[in-house]
Amino acid sequence: MTQKEIFVAHRSEFKERERKIVPHGNTEIGVYRANGKLYAYQNLCAHQGGPACEGLLMPKVEEVIARDQTYQGQKFNYEELHIVCPWHGWEYDLQTGEMVADRKFRLKKYEVVERGEDIYVLV
Ligand code: FES
């Protein structure tokens, strides 16, 4: 089966922590640049079909527990970014596309390639 390339953007037009949505047939693909890497997922939430890639991209929120087991609040982990579906808040790990609360659910992943200054998603 031959793969097709869909143009996403010129590298200089795609900044860190940015997202581009590109059309693909009857659906769309969300492409992200974050932490020096590129990721692409179908813009279709595994919950009820919402536009997951149109939601926020935010760092994982972690609970901080002290050695004496007392609760110290929460902090952001910028090493693990989450795509948050705007319909009901399901969160997906940007690196894998897995839903973080139940990793058997996931967004469909696509490969991203860079050719010179141009970025494409393979479909
Ligand atoms: S459709 Fe995405 S969280 Fe419900």
Side-chain angles (χ1 to χ4, degrees):
M1 188 170 76
T2 312
Q3 280 190 307
K4 200 173 115 185
E5 295 179 347
I6 298 175
F7 177 74
V8 177
H10 296 290
R11 180 196 286 260
S12 62
E13 297 168 347
F14 202 176
K15 299 182 176 36
E16 174 73 14
R17 294 272 179 91
E18 198 176 357
R19 166 199 53 215
K20 306 269 187 204
I21 305 272
V22 296
H24 171 46
N26 294 332
T27 184
E28 296 173 323
I29 298 171
V31 185
Y32 297 85
R33 176 184 284 287
N35 295 337
K37 295 186 178 160
L38 292 160
Y39 306 91
Y41 296 102
Q42 186 175 29
N43 188 17
L44 187 69
C45 183
H47 180 217
Q48 292 182 355
C53 298
E54 292 174 27
L56 295 174
L57 182 64
M58 61 176 294
K60 177 184 181 187
V61 176
E62 295 179 339
E63 310 291 342
V64 180
I65 309 293
R67 286 184 174 204
D68 66 359
Q69 301 300 308
T70 57
Y71 180 70
Q72 303 293 309
Q74 297 178 321
K75 67 173 185 170
F76 288 127
N77 175 354
Y78 288 89
E79 298 298 310
E80 184 176 326
L81 296 174
H82 292 175
I83 299 166
V84 184
C85 179
W87 280 12
H88 315 97
W90 276 31
E91 294 187 25
Y92 296 91
D93 185 331
L94 178 66
Q95 292 185 47
T96 64
E98 295 169 342
M99 201 274 257
V100 298
D102 187 343
R103 292 190 179 258
K104 73 173 179 278
F105 296 102
R106 59 174 53 229
L107 298 173
K108 181 178 179 176
K109 190 170 190 166
Y110 293 91
E111 190 178 340
V112 186
V113 294
E114 295 183 75
R115 293 197 201 298
E117 287 300 303
D118 296 335
I119 297 167
Y120 298 88
V121 63
L122 301 182
V123 296

